[in-house]
Amino acid sequence: AEKKVGDSSIAFDGSGDGLTLSASSDWVFADGEDFTFEGWINTDKTNECIYENKGGVTSTPGWAIFVGAPYTTGKLEFYNQDDTRCASTTTVTDSAWYHFACVMDSDTLRLYINGVQEDSAANGTTAWGRSNAPSIGQDEEQGGTTRDYSGYMDEIRFSNVARYPDGTTFTPQTTEFTTDSNTLLLIHSN
C-alpha cells in the first residue's frame, strides 16, 4: 500500500470520495486565534482541494487549502475568502510525498512545505472558518468533482495551536502523531 506513516494512507480517486467532518464550532477561529492544519500529500494532479471550509460566499470568511488553484500551477495554496493567501514555492505535483503545515500564528498565516516556511501573509479577516461541515479531499462549494483530490493523504492533524510559530524550520514527523489537549482532529490512515 502507498503510505508515508504507518501501514497505509487514504487514497482519493478525484471523483467525489472526500471526507466530510461533523459540523462544529471547533472549525471556527476568531481573529488572532492560532491553529495548525497539517499532513502528508502525494499527488500528480493540479487544481485539487485538500481542505475546504468555505461553504459558499457569506459574510463569515471560510478558508481552503488547494493544490494549484486558483492562482498557482502545481503549488500548494492556503487562503481565505477575503483573499488573504500563502502559496508554496515548491511544486508538489510530482507523485512524491510532501509534508504541509498551514498555520495561523497570531494573525500571521504561515505555509510550510517539508518543515520550511515558504510563504507568510498578514491575516486580513476577523474570523476563519464556519461551523458547517468542512471537507477533506473534496470541494463542497463547487458541488461536482471539478476540484476533488486525486492522490494520497496520510497523518492528517488539525490543532487549535500554532505548532510551528515564527517561521521556525522543523523536521516533519514520520511517525504517528499522538493526541494532546490541542488536537481537534487526528487521522492516522491505518
Side-chain angles (χ1 to χ4, degrees), residues 94-117:
D94 61 356
S95 297
W97 283 102
Y98 291 92
H99 180 270
F100 71 92
C102 300
V103 179
M104 174 64 78
D105 177 17
S106 300
D107 269 347
T108 300
L109 283 70
R110 299 183 190 284
L111 176 60
Y112 297 83
I113 301 295
N114 292 337
V116 176
Q117 180 179 300

Side-chain angles (χ1 to χ4, degrees), residues 65-135:
I65 306 164
F66 277 89
V67 175
Y71 302 110
T72 59
T73 301
K75 314 288 191 214
L76 195 74
E77 196 169 325
F78 169 36
Y79 67 97
N80 71 4
Q81 282 178 277
D82 78 351
D83 220 24
T84 302
R85 65 183 60 245
C86 291
S88 70
T89 56
T90 300
T91 299
V92 297
T93 54
D94 61 356
S95 297
W97 283 102
Y98 291 92
H99 180 270
F100 71 92
C102 300
V103 179
M104 174 64 78
D105 177 17
S106 300
D107 269 347
T108 300
L109 283 70
R110 299 183 190 284
L111 176 60
Y112 297 83
I113 301 295
N114 292 337
V116 176
Q117 180 179 300
E118 295 202 355
D119 201 3
S120 67
N123 182 26
T125 189
T126 57
W128 279 69
R130 299 201 175 91
S131 58
N132 64 328
S135 61

Side-chain angles (χ1 to χ4, degrees), residues 18-41:
L19 306 173
T20 301
L21 307 178
S22 298
S24 171
S25 60
D26 284 349
W27 318 127
V28 180
F29 297 90
D31 186 29
E33 270 190 290
D34 295 347
F35 66 84
T36 303
F37 186 83
E38 65 182 311
W40 290 91
I41 59 169

